[in-house]
Amino acid sequence: MLENILEINDLHVSFDTFSGEVQAVRGVDLELKKGEALAIVGESGSGKSVTSKTIMQLNPSPPGRIKSGEILFDGQDLAKLSDKQMQDIRGKEISMIFQDPMTSLNPTMTVGKQIMEGLIKHQNMSKPEAKQRAIELLNLVGIPNPDTRVKQYPHQFSGGMRQRVVIAIALACNPKVLIADEPTTALDVTIQAQILDLMKNLQAEGDTSIILITHDLGVVANMAQRVAVMYGGKVVEVGTVDELFYDPKHPYSWGLLSSMPRLHEKQDDLNAIAGTPPDLSNPPKGCPFAARCPHAMKVCTEHMPEHTNVSETQSAACWLLDERAPKVEPPEAVKAATNK
């Protein structure tokens, strides 16, 4: 069994707004093993990005605050560290690839200087050494003519090239954990495939652990070994990629799989999950998915279910897994998607 490099235990994160407290993350438990890729999936507003930014303490405070919980990295609780202490971890031990490279890069600095910053700070390199390493990193992420490109500014790069620069910055100090928040959202399909191949190679060669946050289940199938499904600020199901794709247990996971278009079938309409996500300024006391779940029972609206272990690697928080619950089959679209 692989050792955990990161553990999140009962994490609660809130934002204090003019209209009251928004409970963005409500008791998240996650673990990341050394050398693995863990995907976190779910709709916008489910708490994926807030969870990942909390690991790095990048949520603005105020209004954001960690109410309770642990974030154990190599045995150290990151939730208790000061911002100064976190500066020694960010970029060096844990790095992040953000969604939008245009807002992640400083338009007034050359890309070379932006890569060199972390190398000089964390690796104690001289400027000539850092510049040479920056050229090597640009070459590593597939940017042609790195000797010239290192002196150029972000506006002189295409969207795909800027994203590669962001990845080069994240990888500069050989981090133990790489958090990729929708790293391929703004890219065309060809560039997306190249970026994913690059990340897979880096994981294999550098023994880097990856947290991949995405809406795209195709990316999940390509990249991840395990998947956590988030909804309403909670993890509602977790398991291996095969378990989540071929034997999902939570109705929300069924909805996500049903919404995937299938190339081998003619479909007049795409399947969608009816309704809207819960208002986390007034979260439901029961299962957050109950209002949208076609199989919801009275207990679902009144009590949040605990996680039920389906196997050694898969668990789901759903009352349908209780032995007293009626037996419910996944929808036909899920059976078709899972080839059952």
Side-chain angles (χ1 to χ4, degrees), residues 14-24 62-65 279-281:
S14 287
F15 291 84
D16 297 309
T17 69
F18 290 113
S19 58
E21 179 188 358
V22 177
Q23 300 176 45
R65 58 188 168 92
D279 178 6
L280 294 182
S281 60

Side-chain angles (χ1 to χ4, degrees), residues 95-145:
S95 287
M96 192 163 186
I97 302 169
F98 296 95
Q99 286 188 38
D100 183 3
M102 222 25 215
T103 56
S104 304
L105 296 171
N106 186 334
T108 68
M109 290 173 64
T110 64
V111 298
K113 280 191 176 179
Q114 295 185 61
I115 298 171
M116 288 163 62
E117 272 187 322
L119 294 167
I120 293 169
K121 177 179 173 61
H122 296 301
Q123 304 289 320
N124 297 317
M125 287 188 181
S126 65
K127 284 188 178 180
E129 288 173 331
K131 184 178 180 182
Q132 185 56 42
R133 178 60 180 152
I135 292 169
E136 290 171 8
L137 285 162
L138 289 177
N139 186 54
L140 177 70
V141 297
I143 292 181
N145 306 315

